[in-house]
Amino acid sequence: MTFNELGLNARMVSRLDAVGLKKPTPIQEQAIPQALQGRDILGIAQTGTGKTAAFGIPLVVALSKTPERPAPRSARGLVLVPTRELAGQIVRSLQGLTKDLRITLVVGGKSINAQAEKLARGTDILVATPGRLIDLMDRGSIDLGQTRFLVLDEADQMLDIGFIHALRRIAPRLSTDRQTMMFSATMPKAMAELSRQYLDEPIRIEVSPPGKVADKVAHSVHFVAKAQKQDLLIELLHGHRDDRVLVFSRTKHGAERLMKNLDRAGFAATSIHGNKSQGQRDRAIAAFKAGSVRVLVATDVAARGIDIPGVGHVYNYDLPNVPENYVHRIGRTARAGESGRAIAFCAAEELTELKAIEKVLGTRVEIAGGRPWEAVTGAPQKKRRPRRRSAGRPDRMAA
């Protein structure tokens, strides 16, 4: 199928061709015609499958049909995303689809006064992170009463950061006569409940099972002691020094420490995490994209905000606490039709996380090295904290 066959006008097809979009992906092929009819959409698809264009194209088409300019301090369409990096990526993608609509970015880490000034003129499409949007709402800098299009992108990750509470404040401010589109790579129970609450008879489009790894990603695990992880990483990095490599660390301090150690070991490395300013994060990603640094060490803040072709390897230096994040992390490689490798390190203390990941995947992760900890006698296990009893509640064991 071609974009012409999806019901798009010649002008939009020409713009898509100019930005290198020649043929719709499965999620685009199924979502765009339904969205053009004004249907609410619940889209489930892996990272890197073209979800941004799946909602961006019909959003631009719908807003372009009505030529009126937005009122001051208003937004005709709203796109909510979990991270600053993803928000910036979406703005760039939307700007490639239209030169006629005003697109505004509001995220934390930037001057809120400058953002309020931009919103004073009104905007056609507002791309925002929830926290900064609420700050601007509280200041009276934005009125969402005329917002008739709402997109929730990477909704499952927004649930992880407490998005449900933010949405309860944002949604009542929107026009009740609106179209809502929700996209995600996974479908946890909480998101299903969210869709029932905020979507009106949505059509569900699922182009890949939740938790499925992209076909061109070869992923495996090394069983390695925590103290030996860094030496193993350096050894493996020496085997592909010219590759662009993304390394995931669980904590901000761990990411910074690992980056400095890799730099001392002779690798051109940088890092992004929550302790970095937005300017530092932007510069790190720009250097990684340009190739002046070959290794980017990141926390999960980057798992869904980096769309850089040519990432040959992804390392899960620490396994994620949320098993679905494994899929998002390794989805940073094998993008745009390329192949890639994802390598995880599993210390004895992380066996629980590995089992949770394999449960989400529905399969065992291939073993690349080491002996499985469950087969090693006396492998340390995580200590479970005793449950605290509520005051006045009888102890079941005692009863």
Side-chain angles (χ1 to χ4, degrees):
M1 184 172 286
T2 65
F3 282 111
N4 277 313
E5 295 174 285
L6 298 184
L8 299 174
N9 60 42
R11 186 179 184 186
M12 175 56 74
V13 172
S14 177
R15 287 202 177 278
L16 294 174
D17 186 69
V19 296
L21 295 178
K22 310 293 184 181
K23 183 180 178 181
T25 65
I27 186 66
Q28 294 163 5
E29 186 176 311
Q30 295 184 50
I32 290 173
Q34 298 292 337
L36 289 175
Q37 294 177 27
R39 293 288 303 273
D40 281 8
I41 303 291
L42 175 59
I44 313 296
Q46 303 164 16
T47 57
T49 54
K51 293 195 295 293
T52 301
F55 66 74
I57 291 171
L59 179 60
V60 167
V61 169
L63 291 172
S64 298
K65 287 181 179 178
T66 51
E68 74 267 13
R69 301 306 300 169
R73 296 190 303 280
S74 75
R76 299 169 65 200
L78 172 64
V79 181
L80 284 177
V81 298
T83 69
R84 306 169 190 173
E85 284 74 23
L86 181 57
Q89 174 188 315
I90 289 173
V91 166
R92 292 187 291 272
S93 296
L94 293 176
Q95 288 171 338
L97 300 178
T98 177
K99 303 299 180 186
D100 303 320
L101 299 178
R102 185 177 299 161
I103 302 169
T104 304
L105 172 69
V106 295
V107 297
K110 300 284 189 179
S111 168
I112 192 170
N113 292 327
Q115 292 171 356
E117 289 177 9
K118 288 183 179 180
L119 290 174
R121 298 179 297 160
T123 187
D124 293 296
I125 302 175
L126 177 61
V127 182
T129 49
R132 177 49 59 93
L133 177 58
I134 288 176
D135 290 341
L136 289 161
M137 289 166 51
D138 290 343
R139 289 168 56 121
S141 300
I142 180 69
D143 179 1
L144 300 176
Q146 299 181 36
T147 304
R148 299 187 60 187
F149 299 92
L150 172 64
V151 178
L152 309 175
D153 193 23
E154 303 292 7
D156 51 350
Q157 189 186 19
M158 286 197 284
L159 290 175
D160 294 340
I161 61 174
F163 167 70
I164 187 69
H165 305 292
L167 187 58
R168 285 173 181 155
R169 292 193 59 189
I170 295 169
R173 304 285 190 93
L174 302 167
S175 171
T176 55
D177 179 22
R178 69 170 187 269
Q179 179 183 17
T180 303
M181 293 181 277
M182 182 185 297
F183 287 83
S184 178
T186 62
M187 189 64 181
K189 181 179 179 181
M191 205 183 85
E193 296 172 354
L194 190 72
S195 69
R196 287 192 291 270
Q197 186 173 359
Y198 291 101
L199 275 65
D200 182 19
E201 298 183 358
I203 179 168
R204 175 168 173 153
I205 299 170
E206 188 172 327
V207 300
S208 61
K212 185 179 183 297
V213 175
D215 293 334
K216 293 191 176 183
V217 178
H219 63 117
S220 58
V221 60
H222 280 268
F223 292 96
V224 56
K226 183 177 181 179
Q228 297 172 350
K229 282 186 176 184
Q230 183 174 293
D231 289 341
L232 177 59
L233 177 62
I234 290 173
E235 177 186 338
L236 294 175
L237 288 176
H238 276 300
H240 48 84
R241 291 190 68 97
D242 294 333
D243 272 5
R244 191 177 276 120
V245 178
L246 184 55
V247 182
F248 281 103
S249 170
R250 182 177 298 167
T251 68
K252 296 176 285 188
H253 296 294
E256 191 68 10
R257 182 171 59 250
L258 179 59
M259 180 274 291
K260 291 178 179 178
N261 289 339
L262 291 176
D263 188 68
R264 282 192 286 268
F267 296 95
T270 188
S271 65
I272 61 170
H273 48 73
N275 283 349
K276 297 279 188 176
S277 69
Q278 188 59 45
Q280 289 174 317
R281 286 157 64 165
D282 290 343
R283 288 190 292 274
I285 291 178
F288 186 57
K289 183 180 291 188
S292 57
V293 298
R294 308 302 296 182
V295 181
L296 176 62
V297 184
T299 53
D300 279 314
V301 69
R304 308 197 197 186
I306 295 180
D307 186 12
I308 299 175
V311 176
H313 285 74
V314 169
Y315 285 92
N316 278 288
Y317 189 82
D318 299 313
L319 292 181
N321 289 321
V322 179
E324 288 83 2
N325 284 350
Y326 177 83
V327 177
H328 305 312
R329 287 180 177 190
I330 68 177
R332 298 307 99 195
T333 187
R335 299 179 77 82
E338 299 179 357
S339 59
R341 294 190 62 84
I343 300 169
F345 293 170
C346 179
E349 300 86 347
E350 296 172 298
L351 186 58
T352 300
E353 281 82 359
L354 178 61
K355 288 183 177 297
I357 289 167
E358 291 179 331
K359 183 177 180 180
V360 167
L361 298 176
T363 185
R364 301 294 293 269
V365 179
E366 178 186 348
I367 299 173
R371 293 177 59 197
W373 292 113
E374 57 191 354
V376 179
T377 302
Q381 299 294 320
K382 282 189 174 181
K383 293 182 179 179
R384 296 185 179 274
R385 292 181 179 178
R387 289 192 303 173
R388 297 178 60 184
R389 288 182 291 155
S390 300
R393 185 173 182 178
D395 189 319
R396 291 187 178 179
M397 294 298 291

